[in-house]
Amino acid sequence: MLSKIKGLRHLGSQVDWSTCRGHGLPMNGVCDFLCNSICNVSVLTKAYDSTKDAESPDLPCWIKFSEDPTITNPEDDFVLPSISYWVDNHKIYDKEANVKGVSTLDNGVDKISRILKNQFESPDSVSQVLNGCDVNLSESLVLQVLKRFSNAWKPAFEFFNWAKLQSGLIIPPSSYDLMVDSLGKSKNFDLMWELVEEMDRLGGYITLVTMGKVFRRLAKGGRYEEAIQAFKKMERFGVKKDVAALNFLMDALMKGRSVEHAQEVYLEFKNQILPNLQTFNILIHGFCKARQFDKAKIIMEEMKSHGVSPDVVSYTSLIEAYSHDKDFRKVDTILEEMQEKGCPPNTVTYTIIMLALGKAKQSKEALEVYNKMKQNNCVPDSLFYSSLIYILSKDGRLKDARALFEDMPRQGITPGVLAYTTMITIACQHSEEENALKLFQKMEENQCKPDIETYIPLLKMCCRMKRMKVLSFLLSHMFNNDISIDLGTYSLLVTGLCKHGKLEHACSFFEEMVLKGFVPRESTYEMLVKELDKKGMGKAKERIAELMAQSKLQGCSHSSFGDNRAWEH
């Protein structure tokens, strides 16, 4: 079965619909709530409308002591009294780990993290400082540090190379895989291949997981032919070329926005490697995303000739695409066909339809989807609730959205990361600072680990409200949760702070972004330069131009695929 059906964005986050499953929940919970509070749908009347370890960098000297930067505002250090203790004394909860062991590990990770956050003249300088760091290295410590710096390839790679040289420590394949992925993500393909070759020399380190990461990163970088060549020749690394590997490659190509290459691979190997249900579903999903419905239906017919019947994932891919296009007549037709074929829709299918109707401002029809679910014995789950909360908020019914969120535990459903993220996003968009941060605090207390999409609306709100201390706290919180800041987050910070007059901090994040190996987007650079020019901050403007030129030079040096050393033999 296709491992992930994506395509809908729920408040900016990709929803993994394949994880949407019923949990044997009582049917009367949502029904009672809908009847009592929701079913009388009104006409749409409202638009949807730190600490020393903080990730936020200190202001660089070239902005701090150059022209007169923005005078510090008392708002910068303001923290709501209701959460001030939490901000000043925050701890990351871990419900499963041994507290004493985690404390020791965290101390070591934090020590190394503080070192790696600094800028060094050369890798040798990093090694010298790390050599003086009194830390007991372990496999788990190495892995956690690499996770924390997964989007900052330079410090991650410097630490990784240093750790390999330490006596008594064997770096496991999982850490190598993480480093391969990080290098591929940053388009350092030469270094990525050198590391793969090193894994090959170690023997037994390269698995299908490793090659899957290689396929994915090459395809994401638009290097479709290289990804295909990697598949064709991967047996030299001892990895079998079977249907699982073929599906990895096709899925990577499809997610790299080339379903055509995925189809080419399928046609080339279908007589050598027997395709399975997942193989066909990857193609169906890819063609549906590309709005090539005729080709998707041809694949559905072809799979039957291989003795494979379309399943709920196959049909749901079509429903997702037609829902996105607001072609709900086609959706109803497919639903009828599913029933006729003995393949009834599941909770995922209904959630996709409900969410699409809500986005199309057909709120009444969206809420009636629940009745169809009931008729087919589908029970709502956390993602269903999250989508319903989103629809209510889009309809301006914030009170009902909050009531539904609070009702989830009473129905035996524990709010997950998406439910919390939805509620936090709603609060942030309405500048309900205290509500948003209290929800975030409650999320931590309930041991629900946030993801990058949870932090984004909070970071945006802090930039808009100029809450620099809270911003620093959130970035530190991200870092301690092993969520590495990526290019998109840096861009958000720079542009958000620019828009709201915090140029000195915007410059600081821009510098950090470049020093971590990212190439800033042209739009981000142009906005920052324009605002600096308006304020007459000439020296800062020159420094930003130098950093941009430096980043482009670094980007060029890592953009070429090189001489394909991995395939010389």
Side-chain angles (χ1 to χ4, degrees):
M1 178 176 284
L2 184 63
S3 62
K4 292 184 179 180
I5 296 183
K6 294 185 178 180
L8 294 179
R9 285 188 173 271
H10 190 69
L11 294 176
S13 65
Q14 288 281 1
V15 180
D16 185 354
W17 296 109
S18 65
T19 62
C20 230
R21 297 288 184 269
H23 300 287
L25 304 171
M27 289 300 295
N28 61 330
V30 173
C31 186
D32 291 344
F33 189 92
L34 291 174
C35 291
N36 294 333
S37 182
I38 298 176
C39 282
N40 295 323
V41 182
S42 60
V43 178
L44 182 62
T45 57
K46 296 182 182 179
Y48 181 64
D49 5 49
S50 156
T51 64
K52 64 181 179 181
D53 295 332
E55 178 74 2
S56 179
D58 293 330
L59 297 183
C61 59
W62 52 267
I63 184 72
K64 192 183 295 183
F65 300 113
S66 60
E67 298 88 345
D68 183 20
T70 306
I71 298 173
T72 302
N73 191 304
E75 287 181 328
D76 290 4
D77 294 325
F78 177 79
V79 180
L80 290 164
S82 59
I83 64 161
S84 60
Y85 181 82
W86 179 53
V87 169
D88 291 334
N89 301 277
H90 72 281
K91 301 290 182 185
I92 303 298
Y93 290 83
D94 190 325
K95 62 182 178 181
E96 297 179 350
N98 176 281
V99 175
K100 184 176 180 181
V102 168
S103 177
T104 304
L105 174 62
D106 284 350
N107 286 338
V109 171
D110 290 341
K111 282 183 180 179
I112 291 173
S113 297
R114 283 195 290 272
I115 292 172
L116 297 179
K117 285 180 186 179
N118 296 314
Q119 305 303 326
F120 296 91
E121 293 181 359
S122 67
D124 288 340
S125 302
V126 182
S127 297
Q128 289 175 10
V129 177
L130 288 171
N131 286 334
C133 180
D134 184 20
V135 171
N136 292 322
L137 281 179
S138 64
E139 291 183 8
S140 56
L141 184 147
V142 171
L143 190 62
Q144 189 169 343
V145 170
L146 293 179
K147 285 180 179 179
R148 281 194 177 184
F149 289 89
S150 61
N151 287 312
W153 74 270
K154 280 186 175 181
F157 198 50
E158 288 165 353
F159 167 73
F160 182 77
N161 286 329
W162 171 80
K164 288 189 298 183
L165 299 176
Q166 306 311 301
S167 60
L169 178 67
I170 298 176
I171 306 297
S174 56
S175 292
Y176 271 89
D177 285 342
L178 195 59
M179 197 68 245
V180 165
D181 191 57
S182 181
L183 292 171
K185 188 190 306 182
S186 59
K187 296 182 173 58
N188 286 281
F189 295 117
D190 282 339
L191 290 176
M192 180 188 77
W193 279 121
E194 286 177 10
L195 195 57
V196 170
E197 290 174 340
E198 181 181 325
M199 294 172 72
D200 185 41
R201 289 192 295 273
L202 290 170
Y205 268 54
I206 300 177
T207 65
L208 182 55
V209 172
T210 313
M211 297 309 300
K213 293 182 184 299
V214 170
F215 300 156
R216 180 186 176 197
R217 292 308 170 190
L218 289 172
K220 283 280 187 181
R223 299 173 179 273
Y224 309 120
E225 293 299 333
E226 286 92 333
I228 294 169
Q229 286 301 313
F231 170 77
K232 289 180 177 179
K233 300 183 180 181
M234 70 181 186
E235 286 181 329
R236 74 157 270 214
F237 294 129
V239 182
K240 189 177 179 181
K241 216 163 36 175
D242 57 11
V243 68
L246 179 66
N247 290 341
F248 260 106
L249 174 63
M250 289 175 59
D251 189 58
L253 293 168
M254 188 271 289
K255 289 176 179 174
R257 299 185 177 182
S258 182
V259 66
E260 292 79 13
H261 279 89
Q263 184 183 31
E264 287 176 14
V265 168
Y266 162 72
L267 293 173
E268 182 176 352
F269 289 96
K270 69 176 183 176
N271 294 325
Q272 304 171 38
I273 301 172
L274 186 65
N276 60 14
L277 177 61
Q278 185 182 8
T279 312
F280 293 112
N281 278 339
I282 289 168
L283 287 172
I284 292 168
H285 186 51
F287 283 126
C288 286
K289 285 188 71 175
R291 298 300 183 270
Q292 298 180 38
F293 297 112
D294 290 342
K295 290 184 178 180
K297 291 173 182 176
I298 289 171
I299 294 297
M300 290 184 76
E301 290 302 317
E302 184 172 345
M303 65 194 296
K304 295 175 186 176
S305 67
H306 284 77
V308 181
S309 299
D311 68 349
V312 66
V313 176
S314 316
Y315 287 109
T316 299
S317 292
L318 284 166
I319 285 175
E320 182 183 25
Y322 284 126
S323 295
H324 183 274
D325 292 347
K326 302 178 184 178
D327 190 346
F328 296 110
R329 288 186 180 180
K330 286 280 181 62
V331 169
D332 290 337
T333 300
I334 296 171
L335 287 173
E336 290 175 6
E337 182 181 344
M338 292 176 74
Q339 296 290 1
E340 292 172 0
K341 299 289 186 182
C343 181
N346 62 13
T347 307
V348 179
T349 314
Y350 285 118
T351 305
I352 288 173
I353 297 169
M354 181 183 69
L355 188 55
L357 285 165
K359 288 183 176 181
K361 300 183 180 180
Q362 298 183 36
S363 300
K364 183 177 180 180
E365 292 81 359
L367 297 174
E368 287 174 352
V369 169
Y370 173 74
N371 292 325
K372 293 183 180 179
M373 287 181 64
K374 184 178 178 183
Q375 292 169 8
N376 284 287
N377 297 318
C378 280
V379 294
D381 59 8
S382 182
L383 288 182
F384 174 86
Y385 270 91
S386 301
S387 298
L388 185 51
I389 288 167
Y390 169 75
I391 290 170
L392 291 170
S393 67
K394 284 279 285 184
D395 204 22
R397 302 176 63 178
L398 303 184
K399 185 176 180 180
D400 285 338
R402 293 184 183 115
L404 185 58
F405 177 77
E406 294 297 329
D407 192 57
M408 289 177 70
R410 287 191 287 272
Q411 304 307 323
I413 300 177
T414 301
V417 61
L418 186 58
Y420 275 109
T421 298
T422 303
M423 292 301 300
I424 288 169
T425 301
I426 293 168
C428 289
Q429 289 177 336
H430 289 81
S431 296
E432 297 176 356
E433 181 182 10
E434 183 168 19
N435 186 25
L437 291 169
K438 280 190 171 181
L439 280 164
F440 187 62
Q441 184 180 20
K442 182 179 179 181
M443 185 179 186
E444 181 179 283
E445 290 170 352
N446 290 337
Q447 300 169 342
C448 180
K449 187 174 180 178
D451 60 20
I452 185 67
E453 299 296 341
T454 311
Y455 290 98
I456 294 300
L458 292 164
L459 297 177
K460 286 182 179 178
M461 182 180 68
C462 287
C463 290
R464 185 172 68 250
M465 300 180 75
K466 303 178 184 180
R467 303 293 199 220
M468 302 312 298
K469 184 172 181 179
V470 180
L471 180 68
S472 179
F473 158 74
L474 289 170
L475 292 169
S476 176
H477 198 283
M478 278 179 66
F479 196 71
N480 291 332
N481 259 319
D482 303 327
I483 299 175
S484 181
I485 297 182
D486 57 11
L487 176 62
T489 308
Y490 273 117
S491 300
L492 179 156
L493 291 168
V494 173
T495 56
L497 292 168
C498 258
K499 287 178 182 176
H500 300 284
K502 304 301 294 183
L503 292 180
E504 70 278 21
H505 290 90
C507 288
S508 185
F509 280 115
F510 190 93
E511 181 178 51
E512 183 179 287
M513 174 170 34
V514 172
L515 295 177
K516 283 191 175 180
F518 293 106
V519 179
R521 297 167 180 165
E522 283 292 335
S523 57
T524 306
Y525 167 70
E526 289 170 2
M527 174 184 280
L528 181 54
V529 167
K530 182 179 179 181
E531 292 301 316
L532 291 171
D533 198 39
K534 282 183 183 178
K535 297 292 184 181
M537 300 171 71
K539 291 181 181 178
K541 180 181 172 182
E542 290 176 7
R543 174 58 177 160
I544 293 299
E546 290 172 2
L547 287 167
M548 188 66 181
Q550 177 185 332
S551 72
K552 288 182 176 180
L553 186 62
Q554 291 174 344
C556 288
S557 66
H558 300 301
S559 62
S560 96
F561 187 74
D563 54 4
N564 281 347
R565 282 189 295 271
W567 311 127
E568 283 180 350
H569 306 295

